[in-house]
């Protein structure tokens, strides 16, 4: 059941990972949001959040990027939008790091109006006068092994993706082992000896969870999961889209 009334207005900060590696996540996110009465547009900037520079120690380059992004994102907020971010590392940067390294009123304004993709939906569902469509007539797995990304836990918002998935009726099995990626650290060859055992431990825990479907918000962590298990995790918003019966891109109804 599509919700006709407008329940929110968001500017999506798509992130490099979604825009260039997993665009289907962004497309499914828009379809799920619009089904639930949330008007979507792109943020006034779709540039990199700067995390690769920050995590590499180039604070000068990061701060330059952050200052420009803050001005552009603040413009989106002043148009009446909340900012929604489908990747936890980038969401953490907007919520936490911009406040620390830019430190302006605009940085705080952006942080106060920035939400993780599932966080925003659960906020709607719990608020007075708004709710989510909970008629799931598509594919709903019996069990979901859900990996909680470190940068999502660090936002201290609770397990909103887990709560969102549970609305479908699926049983959620939590897996909270770090993937060993840690921003950019785990992608460097010199750190492989330390990062790979963590990724293998995550794979072992996912196998023990034995979910019908594996889900995770972080594309970087999901990449490690795929490398270790051969399974491609779904972003929680993709899982919700399939549960609504929204077909995967390229799939015929």
């Amino acid at each position: 059941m599509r919700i006709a009334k407008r329940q929110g207005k968001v500017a999506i900060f798509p992130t490099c990972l979604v825009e260039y590696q997993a665009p289907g996540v962004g497309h499914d996110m828009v379809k799920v949001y619009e089904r639930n009465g949330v008007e979507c547009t792109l943020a006034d900037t779709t540039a990199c959040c700067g995390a690769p520079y920050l995590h590499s120690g180039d604070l000068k380059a990061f701060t330059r990027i952050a200052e420009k992004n803050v001005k552009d994102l603040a413009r989106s907020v002043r148009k009446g939008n909340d900012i929604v971010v489908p990747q936890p590392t980038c969401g953490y940067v907007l919520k936490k790091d911009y406040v620390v390294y830019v430190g302006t009123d605009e940085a705080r304004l952006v942080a106060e109006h920035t939400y993780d993709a599932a966080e925003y939906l659960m906020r709607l569902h719990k608020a007075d006068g708004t709710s989510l469509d909970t008629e799931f007539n598509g594919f709903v797995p019996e069990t979901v092994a859900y990996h909680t990304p470190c940068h999502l836990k660090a936002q201290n918002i609770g397990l909103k993706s887990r709560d969102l998935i549970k609305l479908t009726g699926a049983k959620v099995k939590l897996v909270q082992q770090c993937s060993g990626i840690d921003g950019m650290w785990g992608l460097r060859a010199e750190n492989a000896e330390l990062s790979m055992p963590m990724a293998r431990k995550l794979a072992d825990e996912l196998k023990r969870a034995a979910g019908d479907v594996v889900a995770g918000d972080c594309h970087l962590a999901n990449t490690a999961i795929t490398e270790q298990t051969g399974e491609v995790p779904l972003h929680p918003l993709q899982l919700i889209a399939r549960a609504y019966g929204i077909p995967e891109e390229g799939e015929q109804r």
Side-chain angles (χ1 to χ4, degrees):
M1 179 185 70
R2 189 181 182 95
I3 294 176
K5 69 173 182 177
R6 194 175 87 173
Q7 301 197 110
K9 183 182 177 187
V10 301
I12 297 171
F13 185 75
T15 78
C16 300
L17 291 167
V18 168
E19 192 154 27
Y20 297 111
Q21 296 188 31
V25 171
H27 297 161
D28 280 331
M29 175 182 165
V30 170
K31 291 170 186 174
V32 169
Y33 270 53
E34 290 182 342
R35 184 185 180 99
N36 284 285
V38 180
E39 180 183 329
C40 297
T41 187
L42 281 174
D44 279 39
T45 178
T46 58
C48 177
C49 69
Y53 296 96
L54 177 63
H55 298 160
S56 299
D58 190 345
L59 299 185
K60 184 176 180 180
F62 171 73
T63 303
R64 183 175 64 250
I65 292 168
E67 288 174 346
K68 183 180 186 308
N69 283 351
V70 161
K71 289 184 181 300
D72 291 338
L73 292 169
R75 190 181 310 119
S76 291
V77 172
R78 292 192 182 101
K79 292 176 182 176
N81 298 293
D82 288 313
I83 307 296
V84 175
V85 188
Q87 287 296 300
T89 297
C90 309
Y92 184 93
V93 169
L94 269 62
K95 288 182 176 184
K96 307 290 186 181
D97 291 324
Y98 283 1
V99 174
V100 172
Y101 290 94
V102 179
T104 60
D105 288 342
E106 283 193 329
R108 286 183 282 274
L109 177 70
V110 169
E112 289 166 3
H113 287 270
T114 295
Y115 296 89
D116 169 72
E119 177 191 12
Y120 186 86
L121 290 176
M122 289 307 299
R123 176 173 170 264
L124 280 185
H125 193 57
K126 298 291 186 180
D128 292 336
T130 58
S131 63
L132 297 182
D133 172 14
T134 55
E135 291 186 13
F136 297 101
N137 299 314
F139 171 70
V140 177
E142 185 174 339
T143 60
V144 176
Y146 168 61
H147 175 244
T148 56
C150 298
H151 274 112
L152 199 52
K153 289 188 284 186
Q155 293 181 31
N156 294 318
I157 59 174
L159 300 175
K160 303 305 181 186
S161 292
R162 175 204 61 185
D163 297 343
L164 182 63
I165 294 168
K166 286 174 71 174
L167 292 178
T168 68
K171 180 180 179 181
V172 180
K173 300 180 177 183
L174 284 179
V175 176
Q176 302 199 60
Q177 165 66 30
C178 177
S179 67
I181 297 294
D182 191 22
M184 300 295 293
W185 179 85
L187 299 178
R188 295 192 178 95
E190 62 266 27
N191 297 326
E193 188 175 341
L194 294 173
S195 67
M196 292 299 285
M198 286 187 273
R200 286 193 288 269
K201 185 176 179 181
L202 170 57
D204 290 342
E205 292 197 16
L206 285 167
K207 288 174 184 175
R208 281 194 291 272
D212 297 319
V213 169
V214 176
D217 311 79
C218 177
H219 186 68
L220 293 173
N222 289 350
T223 299
I225 291 169
T226 300
E227 287 179 350
Q228 293 296 322
T229 68
E231 186 159 1
V232 180
L234 290 176
H235 187 284
L237 270 293
Q238 292 180 294
L239 193 151
I240 296 300
R242 303 294 89 77
Y244 279 142
I246 298 170
E248 187 175 356
E249 287 195 348
E251 178 184 337
Q252 297 296 319
R253 282 188 178 274

